[in-house]
């Protein structure tokens, strides 16, 4: 694990500290260590990544050895260990996405952001990552930006999403080609005689 | 108790036993890497796979508790295949550098690959390479060789109580490392080398200096602290290459402290290999006959009773009895073994022994530590306290230095008057002790090596009496010694006789010119500069403080170079064995004392080792019982009196330099540089 420049200190903001205390209180006395993963997540939401200082702060809050927290933080790939852009763009290149054209999505994103995988764009807004399957194969190809999935992408729609984020908007998550959730494209292919009043398709 | 069958042999074992343990009872060998009987079960190496009837897949025998009627097979083709498969995976990323690996020849992976692996590799892919890690000045790392058994992580976490090791990353990218790559700060770190089943963690001071098959092993006993841990001294020629622990469940289980293990380079540095005589202010090498005649001339010109003996911390019982007999023959009663001035009395054995025994501390449920930092005074014993504490059945309180002991304790303060409160029952911890089934107390040398030491000793005895520490089958009054020689010396009565002076009085008398001749038996911890113009005779192994001041230096043997008797802090009589010969013209210390006696015309009535040992048994019958601990009878000792408010502290300031051998050791000097001078001041951790 490479070491990046580490901040000398870390402290939860009052809002995050309040959330952290609620999480810690969920576990019985002496079992506070169970809160390590949500607390690491809170730290990452606050700072964008998990620094050594954050690890030590959490270790002290949960009465753990710092190495135990670091073990957890390095085991899970979703904890970042280096400073990140404002938005984390994670594009899936696993088999279903690749078969449906993730290579084109990747090229489009790299071109739009001007970065390679693992890098942060010059304006500090985006960090691009290549990830393994995110479990949305029915809507491949897809990418995750922050907490939301953007699915059924084309190189153009991916580009448009990036542009929207750049302008400070949050585009609507989900399929970008008009389909509803994971329903078949162009409408249902089975149970076509049934109709549900509240549904349009 | 459930019954099971392993390879057609039936065995009845306790519920909760695992298959691998049951197989071990039957003498059936199951290969393993991650499983270790003294560590928590991890089950991650998969080498111990066996077949169990009615189970669809091979199971890891180390993690599978037995069931009634289980039928286990360890010798089927399926098991053979499974082991070969696991071995193939383990070797996928293991480098083939056995010829340059220090573990080569004593490597579990090497041996088990021969026994259970395939005869060839099918791997032609790249192997992964992992950066070296910093485990401190004692442990060399080659992490590419690591098979991630996590024994080291579990040892650091559970036994050593230094949770600084961890496995970062996952899958193929998992790496064992210390937190932020800092040196591992533990007094027991050397045990990681023994635990590591491959060559990932090896002995740094000895790296690339030996091949395991070149070494000759001698089973002996450690004298670097007062525990008397069982050791194996590995030598090549006349050089001690390394020291390893042996299993002795009564004392050290299978651990050894870093000082006992790594100070061995000090055995060949700063050695006194010739007699020396001070001429014109300078020590000059000379012959035995010259040194003895100079000494004899000086003694003959001195007056009766103006001669004194101080025994050091490494003196063996044979030397002590010879010196005591010489003192008696010379008509002096000025002899003492308590270099630190400990107010322990020689009469009643229970007053200076670790009565509960070291293993017995695992039955204690309340423990009061007084004036001691067991972590640096007896690191292996401290691991035993931690082991008991981890079960949740031991409450610990400390009166003394507030330091990280690797377990949590209630700090009562460092004023000895707290003892009086506990004895009087007015302190809350008195109730805890009284409520305990097996209450215990550890009295460190820091508690008795004070001007009011006798009063502190008396108070500690009162605490023991009033809280029910002494009863049938249990004596929780424990004195933790720091010097290997001390209990033996007290057993022999190597203390001032009638009208005799103790160490402080001897030094004062020497300073005032009231003493003609002072014999130092490896005694270096006294105030050497205050000896005035007294004629000092130093009998010992190292050119340390004492030898530098001496007028005559007679070279002796270190504990690895003699067949000698030591009594550990429990009162266990144990014998070291000669592993190498004393360097140059040095001789076993008791023979030196005998030669001195002869030169003085007071020849001792014994000339062979067995005769000295007969004399030992005659002076105190305990010396006839080797490796046994007999319960000592209780009595009254210590004095009534008020105690001073000076804080109780440990007598040892730094773990790595406490005696001539460790002070001479370069390895210990490196440790001290890495871990700091004053470990007594180490902060309390919150991660006990």
């Amino acid at each position: 694990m490479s070491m990046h420049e580490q901040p000398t200190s870390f402290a939860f903001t009052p809002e995050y500290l309040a959330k952290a205390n609620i999480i810690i209180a969920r576990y019985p006395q002496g079992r506070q260590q169970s809160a390590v993963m949500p607390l690491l997540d809170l730290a990452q939401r606050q700072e964008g990544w998990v620094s050594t200082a954050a690890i030590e702060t959490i270790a002290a809050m949960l009465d753990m050895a710092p190495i135990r927290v670091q073990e957890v933080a390095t085991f899970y790939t979703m904890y970042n260990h280096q400073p990140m852009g404002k938005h984390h763009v994670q594009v899936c290149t696993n088999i279903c996405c690749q078969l449906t054209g993730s290579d084109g999505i990747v090229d489009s994103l790299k071109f739009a952001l001007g970065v390679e995988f693992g890098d942060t764009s010059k304006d500090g807004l985006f960090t691009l990552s290549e990830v393994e399957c995110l479990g949305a194969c029915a809507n491949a190809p897809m990418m995750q930006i922050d907490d939301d999935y953007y699915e059924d992408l084309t190189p153009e729609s991916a580009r448009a999403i990036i542009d929207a984020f750049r302008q400070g908007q949050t585009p609507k998550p989900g399929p970008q080609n008009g389909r509803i959730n994971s329903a078949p494209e162009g409408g249902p292919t089975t149970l076509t005689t049934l109709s549900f009043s509240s549904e349009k398709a | 108790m459930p019954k099971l069958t392993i390879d057609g042999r039936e065995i009845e074992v306790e519920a909760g036993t695992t298959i691998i343990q049951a197989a071990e009872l039957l003498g059936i060998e199951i290969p393993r890497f991650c499983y270790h009987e003294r560590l928590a079960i991890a089950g991650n190496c998969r080498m111990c796979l066996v077949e169990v009837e009615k189970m669809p897949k091979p199971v890891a025998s180390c993690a599978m508790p037995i069931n009634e009627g289980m039928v286990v097979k360890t010798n089927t083709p399926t098991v053979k295949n499974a082991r070969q498969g696991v071995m193939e995976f383990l070797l996928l990323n293991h480098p083939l550098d056995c010829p340059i690996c220090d573990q080569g020849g004593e490597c579990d992976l090497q041996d088990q690959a021969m026994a259970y692996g395939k005869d060839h590799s099918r791997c032609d892919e790249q192997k992964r390479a992992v950066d070296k890690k910093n485990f401190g000045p004692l442990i060399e790392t080659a992490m590419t060789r690591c098979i991630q058994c996590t024994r080291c992580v579990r040892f650091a976490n559970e036994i050593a109580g230094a949770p600084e090791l961890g496995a970062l990353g996952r899958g193929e990218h998992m790496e064992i490392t210390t937190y932020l790559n800092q040196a591992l700060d533990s007094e027991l770190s050397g045990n990681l080398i023994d635990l590591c089943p491959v060559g990932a963690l090896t002995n740094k001071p000895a790296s690339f200096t030996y091949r395991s098959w070149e070494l000759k092993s001698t089973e002996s006993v450690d004298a670097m602290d007062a525990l008397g841990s069982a050791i194996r001294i590995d030598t090549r020629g006349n050089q001690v290459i390394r020291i390893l622990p042996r299993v002795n469940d009564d004392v050290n289980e299978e651990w050894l402290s870093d000082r006992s293990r790594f100070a061995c380079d000090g055995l060949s540095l700063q050695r006194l290999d010739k007699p020396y005589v001070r001429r014109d202010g300078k020590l000059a090498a000379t012959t035995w006959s010259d040194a003895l005649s100079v000494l004899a001339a000086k003694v003959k010109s001195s007056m009766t009773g103006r001669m004194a003996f101080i025994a050091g911390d490494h003196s063996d019982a044979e030397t002590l009895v010879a010196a005591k007999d010489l003192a008696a023959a010379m008509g002096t009663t000025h002899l003492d073994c308590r270099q630190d001035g400990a107010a322990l009395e020689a009469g009643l054995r229970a007053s200076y022994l670790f009565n509960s025994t070291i293993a017995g501390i695992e039955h204690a449920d309340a423990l009061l530590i007084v004036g001691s930092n067991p972590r640096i005074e007896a690191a292996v014993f401290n691991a035993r306290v931690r082991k008991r504490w981890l079960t949740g059945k031991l409450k610990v309180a400390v009166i003394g230095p507030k330091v990280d002991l690797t377990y949590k304790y209630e700090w009562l303060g460092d004023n000895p008057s707290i003892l009086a409160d506990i004895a009087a029952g007015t302190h809350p911890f008195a109730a805890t002790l009284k409520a305990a089934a097996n209450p215990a107390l550890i009295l460190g040398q820091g508690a008795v090596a004070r001007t009011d030491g006798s009063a502190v000793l008396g108070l500690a005895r009162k605490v023991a009496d009033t809280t029910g520490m002494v009863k049938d089958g249990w004596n929780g009054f424990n004195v933790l010694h720091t010097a290997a020689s001390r209990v033996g010396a007290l057993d022999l009565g190597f203390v001032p006789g009638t009208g005799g002076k103790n160490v402080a009085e001897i030094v004062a008398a020497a300073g005032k010119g009231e003493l003609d001749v002072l014999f130092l038996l490896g005694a270096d911890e006294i105030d050497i500069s205050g000896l005035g113009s007294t004629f000092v005779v130093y009998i010992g192994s190292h050119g340390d403080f004492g030898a530098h001041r001496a007028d005559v230096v007679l070279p002796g043997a270190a504990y690895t170079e003699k067949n000698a008797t030591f009594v550990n802090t429990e009162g266990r009589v144990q014998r070291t064995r000669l592993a190498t010969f004393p360097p140059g013209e040095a001789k076993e210390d008791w023979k030196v004392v005998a030669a001195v006696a002869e030169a003085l015309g007071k020849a001792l009535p014994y000339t062979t080792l067995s005769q000295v040992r007969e004399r030992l048994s005659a002076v105190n019958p305990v010396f006839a019982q080797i490796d046994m601990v007999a319960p000592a009878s209780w009595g009254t000792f210590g004095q009534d009196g008020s105690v001073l408010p000076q804080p109780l502290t440990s007598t040892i300031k730094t773990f790595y330099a406490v005696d001539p051998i460790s002070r001479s050791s370069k390895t210990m000097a490196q440790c001290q540089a890495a871990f700091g001078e004053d470990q007594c001041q180490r902060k309390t951790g919150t991660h006990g």
Side-chain angles (χ1 to χ4, degrees):
Chain A
M1 199 187 71
S2 59
M3 295 296 286
H4 297 268
E5 195 154 309
Q6 297 283 344
T8 51
S9 66
F10 170 87
F12 279 117
T13 60
E15 302 86 77
Y16 277 113
L17 188 62
K19 283 185 190 174
N21 285 332
I22 289 169
I23 293 166
I24 293 171
R26 281 179 201 157
Y27 301 100
Q29 189 65 32
R31 300 265 186 262
Q32 288 81 0
Q33 301 189 357
S34 305
V36 65
M37 288 177 62
L39 258 59
L40 282 166
D41 178 60
L42 287 182
Q44 176 158 310
R45 282 174 191 281
Q46 180 181 315
E47 304 287 316
W49 63 297
V50 177
S51 63
T52 305
I55 283 173
E56 283 168 10
T57 304
I58 292 169
M61 286 170 79
L62 303 179
D63 196 16
M64 296 170 79
I67 186 86
R68 299 277 90 81
V69 182
Q70 201 186 12
E71 280 182 325
V72 174
T74 54
F75 184 88
Y76 295 99
T77 55
M78 287 159 80
Y79 295 118
N80 306 318
H81 296 281
Q82 50 187 308
M84 304 293 284
K86 189 179 173 198
H87 303 292
H88 188 191
V89 180
Q90 304 177 72
V91 53
C92 172
T93 56
N94 250 174
I95 186 154
C96 295
C97 286
Q98 195 180 31
L99 289 173
T100 50
S102 69
D103 287 357
I105 311 294
V106 168
D107 288 344
S108 169
L109 290 170
K110 283 182 178 173
F111 181 76
L113 299 173
V115 295
E116 290 295 315
F117 283 135
D119 293 342
T120 300
S121 60
K122 277 200 187 115
D123 53 14
L125 281 179
F126 302 96
T127 300
L128 182 64
S129 303
E130 181 181 29
V131 296
E132 306 302 336
C133 185
L134 290 172
C137 307
N139 296 65
M142 62 79 67
M143 64 178 168
Q144 180 182 355
I145 299 185
D146 300 335
D147 285 339
D148 294 323
Y149 279 13
Y150 293 90
E151 300 158 323
D152 294 315
L153 299 173
T154 59
E156 294 71 31
S157 62
R159 177 78 192 259
I161 291 167
I162 295 296
D163 286 341
F165 270 105
R166 222 175 241 149
Q167 284 155 25
Q169 300 159 359
T170 305
K172 188 171 179 291
Q176 301 297 308
N177 62 351
R179 110 199 230 211
I180 291 175
N181 298 336
S182 301
E185 283 181 62
T189 54
T190 57
L191 304 176
T192 48
T193 54
L194 290 173
S195 72
F196 299 92
S197 54
S198 60
E199 275 191 21
K200 285 174 199 160
Chain B
M1 294 202 297
K3 263 187 200 162
L4 77 162
T5 313
I6 306 179
D7 293 347
R9 294 163 66 188
E10 206 165 76
I11 185 172
E12 207 176 317
V13 289
E14 268 179 55
T17 310
T18 57
I19 296 175
I20 205 169
Q21 289 167 332
E24 213 142 80
L25 292 174
L26 283 171
I28 296 169
E29 188 184 282
I30 296 179
R32 84 286 303 266
F33 292 109
C34 72
Y35 174 76
H36 190 279
E37 53 266 47
R38 296 189 205 271
L39 301 174
I41 293 165
N44 55 8
C45 77
R46 316 309 289 176
M47 194 62 203
C48 64
L49 292 177
V50 295
E51 222 183 328
V52 179
E53 262 181 21
K54 293 179 190 149
M55 290 209 188
K57 292 191 288 182
V59 297
S61 59
C62 71
M64 178 60 71
I66 51 109
N67 271 326
E68 179 62 44
M70 216 176 214
V71 180
V72 180
K73 291 171 191 159
T74 73
N75 50 9
T76 61
T78 313
V79 173
K80 182 166 180 276
N81 253 330
R83 287 173 181 169
Q84 281 188 348
V86 169
M87 183 54 80
E88 200 167 15
F89 274 119
L90 288 172
L91 293 177
L92 264 187
N93 277 314
H94 192 82
L96 294 171
D97 62 350
C98 306
I100 57 147
C101 175
D102 270 344
Q103 191 87 352
E106 50 181 5
C107 173
D108 287 357
L109 187 62
Q110 203 177 25
D111 294 347
Q112 293 185 27
M114 288 297 290
Y116 304 104
K118 283 190 170 167
D119 56 355
H120 66 281
S121 167
R122 292 185 292 169
C123 170
D124 38 49
E125 279 79 29
Q126 290 284 317
K127 298 192 177 211
R128 77 171 195 157
V130 182
D131 286 341
K132 265 191 169 189
K133 299 291 184 296
N134 172 23
F135 274 46
L138 299 174
I139 303 175
E140 183 64 89
T141 66
M143 300 315 279
T144 303
R145 296 178 189 143
C146 175
I147 57 168
Q148 279 109 30
C149 68
T150 69
R151 275 186 187 180
C152 54
V153 177
R154 283 174 281 148
F155 177 84
N157 225 6
E158 297 160 16
I159 312 275
E164 295 160 26
L165 277 181
L168 301 189
R170 71 197 290 186
E172 209 197 21
H173 303 289
M174 180 166 145
E175 294 184 12
I176 304 286
T177 183
T178 53
Y179 185 62
L180 304 182
N181 218 12
Q182 290 162 343
L184 184 68
D185 190 6
S186 167
E187 293 74 26
L188 294 169
S189 65
N191 296 298
L192 298 179
I193 298 165
D194 296 339
L195 285 171
C196 184
V198 298
L201 307 178
T202 52
N203 186 330
K204 197 173 207 172
S207 67
F208 299 132
T209 59
Y210 67 93
R211 303 262 54 187
S212 61
W213 54 86
E214 299 170 340
L215 304 177
K216 187 183 119 241
S217 298
T218 308
E219 298 197 342
S220 188
V221 172
D222 179 45
M224 299 300 286
D225 57 30
L227 295 181
S229 302
I231 56 170
R232 191 183 103 189
I233 304 166
D234 280 3
T235 54
R236 185 180 50 205
N238 206 36
Q239 195 191 359
V240 176
I241 300 288
R242 62 177 183 183
I243 291 178
L244 302 176
R246 282 186 295 129
V247 175
N248 184 351
D249 280 327
D250 291 331
V251 178
N252 58 320
E253 298 180 270
E254 59 179 278
W255 318 125
L256 193 59
S257 82
D258 285 354
R259 173 151 38 87
S260 303
R261 185 189 296 260
F262 290 110
C264 61
D265 65 326
L267 291 168
S268 48
L269 297 168
Q270 296 286 325
R271 285 306 299 269
L272 300 169
D273 54 357
K274 287 187 213 60
Y276 288 82
V277 170
R278 192 172 292 279
R279 292 201 165 97
D280 307 326
K282 272 190 173 169
L283 281 176
T286 182
T287 59
W288 274 102
S289 56
D290 179 47
L292 289 173
S293 62
V294 169
L295 166 62
K298 179 71 192 174
V299 171
K300 274 170 194 156
S301 71
S302 80
M303 284 185 292
T304 321
R306 287 172 66 98
M307 187 194 258
F309 289 81
I310 298 177
D313 293 349
H314 278 261
S315 300
D316 53 87
E318 286 85 354
T319 310
L320 290 165
V321 77
K324 195 182 175 214
D325 287 346
L326 173 61
M330 298 303 296
T332 177
T333 51
H334 309 317
L335 67 165
D336 202 351
C337 61
R338 300 159 302 186
Q339 282 193 90
D340 51 13
L344 296 168
E345 300 149 31
L348 190 67
R349 215 166 177 239
S351 73
Y352 58 84
L353 285 192
F354 200 95
N355 291 300
S356 77
T357 73
I358 292 167
I361 211 73
E362 288 187 41
H363 302 293
D365 39 17
L367 176 64
L368 178 65
I369 300 175
V370 183
S372 172
N373 175 357
R375 182 167 174 188
I376 59 173
E377 287 174 19
V380 171
F381 165 73
N382 197 52
R384 188 84 83 144
V385 178
R386 177 175 162 79
K387 181 181 176 187
R388 175 66 177 164
W389 174 81
L390 280 175
T391 63
K393 292 175 188 156
L394 180 67
K395 276 196 189 121
V396 187
V398 169
I399 306 176
K402 194 177 183 182
V403 290
D404 182 4
L405 292 180
T406 72
Y407 38 86
K408 282 185 182 157
Y409 57 82
E410 190 186 338
W411 189 65
L412 307 181
D414 55 12
N415 190 326
S417 67
I418 300 166
L419 269 179
D421 298 343
I422 294 176
T426 52
H427 193 282
F429 197 72
T432 311
L433 287 172
K434 279 177 191 159
N438 289 325
L441 172 148
I442 294 174
L443 197 62
Q445 297 303 297
V448 286
R450 307 161 45 102
T451 47
D452 59 348
S454 201
V456 176
L457 181 68
L459 278 178
R461 180 193 44 86
K462 270 187 205 152
V463 169
D465 279 334
T466 56
T467 57
M469 280 184 196
V470 186
K471 53 192 170 192
D472 260 0
W474 176 257
N475 185 342
F477 179 84
N478 297 320
V479 177
L480 183 62
H481 288 271
T482 53
S485 69
R486 192 66 52 84
V487 174
L490 291 169
D491 281 344
L492 292 170
F494 203 93
V495 289
T498 321
K501 295 178 164 59
N502 65 21
V503 167
E505 289 159 356
I506 290 171
V507 173
K512 281 186 267 174
E514 292 167 8
L515 214 56
D516 290 333
V517 182
L518 173 61
F519 283 90
L520 299 179
L521 306 171
D524 294 280
E525 324 299 328
I526 55 167
D527 179 16
I528 297 291
S529 61
L531 296 180
S533 57
T534 308
F535 189 82
V536 177
V537 181
Y538 184 84
I539 302 173
S541 57
H542 282 70
D544 206 58
F545 304 130
H548 283 295
R549 166 61 186 82
D551 296 287
V552 169
V553 173
L554 303 174
Y559 70 101
T560 52
E561 295 155 3
K562 55 190 170 190
N563 294 306
T565 306
F566 287 93
V567 188
N568 84 348
T569 190
E570 310 166 279
R572 187 186 301 274
V573 179
Q574 302 188 106
R575 284 187 179 154
T576 62
R577 306 243 309 265
L578 181 142
T580 61
F581 291 98
E585 294 173 41
K587 301 271 184 285
E588 282 163 288
D589 303 53
W590 78 266
K591 288 185 181 164
V592 176
V593 176
V596 168
E598 204 172 324
L600 300 179
K602 310 272 182 191
L604 299 173
Y606 31 79
T607 50
T608 66
L609 187 59
S610 56
Q611 286 169 337
V612 186
R613 288 184 173 164
E614 274 168 31
R615 172 71 185 143
L616 277 176
S617 310
V619 174
N620 192 334
V622 296
F623 285 96
Q625 299 173 312
I626 301 301
D627 202 22
M628 294 216 304
V629 177
S633 56
W634 190 243
T636 310
F637 52 86
Q639 282 174 4
D640 289 331
S642 56
V643 290
L644 303 169
Q646 267 90 358
L648 288 165
T649 148
S650 173
T651 47
I652 295 186
K653 292 284 171 270
T654 165
F655 174 76
Y656 299 104
V658 299
D659 53 30
I661 298 174
S662 52
R663 277 194 292 267
S664 303
S665 161
K666 284 182 183 167
T667 313
M668 292 292 103
Q670 283 166 0
C671 287
Q672 214 170 330
F675 298 118
E677 291 275 327
D678 196 348
Q679 285 158 321
C680 225
Q681 300 303 315
R682 183 158 33 200
K683 276 194 248 153
T684 28
T686 51
H687 315 305

